Amino acid sequence: MESVEKLMQLANEARDAKDYEKALEYYRQAAEQGNGEAMNELGDFYKMGKGVEKDTTQAIYWFEKSVETGEALAMLNLGVLYEDERFDGHDEKKAAAWLCTEPAYSI
């Protein structure tokens, strides 16, 4: 099994090369090992439809899993997602709650 650090390196290189399917594979493996950054990346991939069909339910799932690890960027991503009026789950109160958390606010 690859180390989380190696998986993240491989995932980031694949993402930067726009090989989203390969990046997803590595991010999933890192997420299975509890890496919050990888979980946040998975949320972003589902939110944007990179290498997968766009799926806001899956995006929220991965952002929330990432938040559980303390990943501040995931808090910001949740707030931005809930703030987006194009999102069916648009919710100003949830957006404000996430965007006003100390870790998200400091990004």
Side-chain angles (χ1 to χ4, degrees):
M1 181 186 317
E2 296 279 353
S3 71
V4 170
E5 293 79 15
K6 181 65 175 176
L7 290 168
M8 290 301 294
Q9 177 188 352
L10 293 168
N12 291 336
E13 288 171 359
R15 179 201 60 210
D16 293 346
K18 298 191 181 349
D19 186 348
Y20 298 131
E21 289 178 13
K22 187 173 278 189
L24 276 165
E25 177 184 328
Y26 292 128
Y27 283 134
R28 282 186 208 282
Q29 289 178 43
E32 288 171 5
Q33 293 185 43
N35 184 278
E37 182 183 348
M39 294 171 192
N40 182 65
E41 288 290 340
L42 287 170
D44 188 56
F45 274 47
Y46 279 103
K47 176 184 171 193
M48 304 303 290
K50 296 181 197 171
V52 292
E53 190 170 326
K54 196 173 189 178
D55 185 337
T56 52
T57 301
Q58 279 295 305
I60 289 170
Y61 170 81
W62 284 110
F63 287 146
E64 287 179 345
K65 293 288 284 182
S66 182
V67 164
E68 290 173 12
T69 72
E71 188 69 33
L73 189 53
M75 295 173 193
L76 179 65
N77 284 332
L78 275 170
V80 169
L81 182 62
Y82 282 118
E83 189 176 52
D84 188 344
E85 292 181 357
R86 296 170 294 173
F87 170 50
D88 287 340
H90 172 76
D91 186 322
E92 288 293 328
K93 287 183 181 178
K94 284 184 180 180
W98 285 114
L99 293 172
C100 293
T101 61
E102 178 61 35
Y105 184 75
S106 64
I107 290 180

